[in-house]
Amino acid sequence: MTTQTTTQTVTRADVCVAAVSDAFKDSGEVLAHAVGIVPAIGVRLAKATHTPELALSDGEAFMMAEAPPLLKTAAAGGTPEAWVPFRSIFDIVASGRRHSMMGASQIDRHGNQNISSIGDWRQPKRQLIGVRGAPGNTVNHRVDYWVAKHSARIFVGSVDVASGVGNDRAVGTAGRFHDLGIIVTNLAVFGYDESGLIKVSSIHPGVTPEELQEATGFEIDTSDAPLTREPTSEELRIIEAEDPKGLRFKEVP
């Protein structure tokens, strides 16, 4: 899906990048953790525009004043500001000085996320990557999710394994710093209502409410949902500069 402005063409991928960037607005001086091509471009856009104090790593051990090219480390360019070995990441997570946008193989209406396995956990149909850092992330700092291919197989009534802690499970000490933000997909942006249930925040240009509901495995209210904003001309220029090879179109055609 593309739309034409007076001088530039805006693609669905560009809309998604802008939505990711907006998710990091006012995050402050925290480590930005972005899983996926679109999120990686989105945090770069955020740092280049509204939140310059965001800390970006090169994916290994260097904090960067200017992010290196996509999928490259500090060796490919950029200005290292600090050395942060992997063992230090756990201290940053525990301190809450991190903002993560993770992926998800399943998400339910409460925001529980699964990246571990599909099917009965005792004998799963598909083994995935395991819970990894999802439990620690979701109980310690702000977590958003990115879903490149929105479908009813991902947005499900109940996750098979709760890797990331949802709003219904954030009780006791698990809820002290629990902070689920938004979910950006290739179709829409979601938030959470006062009871902790997923709600539609906006629908991307070119997506119909019927299409969005059909791709979601539980009932959602699409009435009065606004359109997701399109990036400005300046944001488009930055997006193109950060992704000159168009890698974002491989994730969101």
Side-chain angles (χ1 to χ4, degrees):
M1 171 65 190
T2 62
T3 58
Q4 186 73 43
T5 65
T6 55
T7 58
Q8 295 166 295
T9 298
V10 179
T11 68
R12 180 76 59 79
D14 296 328
V15 171
C16 292
V17 169
V20 170
S21 174
D22 287 348
F24 284 84
K25 188 174 292 185
D26 300 324
S27 289
E29 189 176 344
V30 298
L31 176 59
H33 170 238
V35 179
I37 297 297
V38 165
I41 302 168
V43 296
R44 285 164 163 79
L45 179 61
K47 185 175 179 65
T49 54
H50 50 71
T51 311
E53 63 271 30
L54 275 177
L56 301 182
S57 83
D58 69 342
E60 290 191 353
F62 289 103
M63 295 294 186
M64 308 299 296
E66 296 178 359
L70 285 176
L71 305 181
K72 301 293 184 180
T73 66
T79 305
E81 289 186 307
W83 180 66
V84 184
F86 184 67
R87 63 179 179 270
S88 299
I89 296 299
F90 297 101
D91 295 329
I92 295 173
V93 170
S95 72
R97 295 173 296 165
R98 193 168 183 251
H99 181 165
S100 177
M101 179 166 280
M102 302 177 65
S105 299
Q106 290 181 327
I107 299 178
D108 67 21
R109 63 176 70 242
H110 298 280
N112 292 292
Q113 170 242 35
N114 177 22
I115 53 173
S116 183
S117 62
I118 301 298
D120 189 325
W121 64 269
R122 289 162 292 198
Q123 191 171 2
K125 298 176 182 177
R126 295 286 185 275
Q127 181 64 54
L128 305 176
I129 63 174
V131 299
R132 304 295 291 263
N137 290 347
T138 48
V139 300
N140 281 296
H141 57 70
R142 164 78 178 260
V143 172
D144 303 316
Y145 294 115
W146 160 243
V147 177
K149 296 182 179 179
H150 189 132
S151 76
R153 296 179 63 180
I154 294 178
F155 285 86
V156 296
S158 179
V159 296
D160 294 329
V161 177
S163 305
V165 178
N167 291 314
D168 60 332
R169 298 173 187 267
V171 296
T173 55
R176 186 179 178 187
F177 301 111
H178 184 262
D179 183 14
L180 292 185
I182 69 169
I183 305 169
V184 180
T185 82
N186 63 316
L187 301 182
V189 178
F190 296 88
Y192 302 90
D193 64 21
E194 293 181 356
S195 61
L197 296 176
I198 283 178
K199 68 174 184 179
V200 180
S201 297
S202 66
I203 301 176
H204 298 339
V207 179
T208 66
E210 293 76 18
E211 180 184 359
L212 182 59
Q213 179 59 80
E214 184 177 356
T216 306
F218 47 83
E219 195 70 24
I220 53 176
D221 182 7
T222 59
S223 62
D224 301 322
L227 289 179
T228 309
R229 77 168 184 91
E230 295 185 351
T232 66
S233 296
E234 176 61 13
E235 287 176 318
L236 287 172
R237 184 193 65 77
I238 294 170
I239 291 170
E240 186 61 34
E242 295 289 355
D243 183 29
K245 295 183 178 179
L247 297 178
R248 62 194 183 279
F249 303 127
K250 295 183 181 296
E251 204 165 54
V252 183

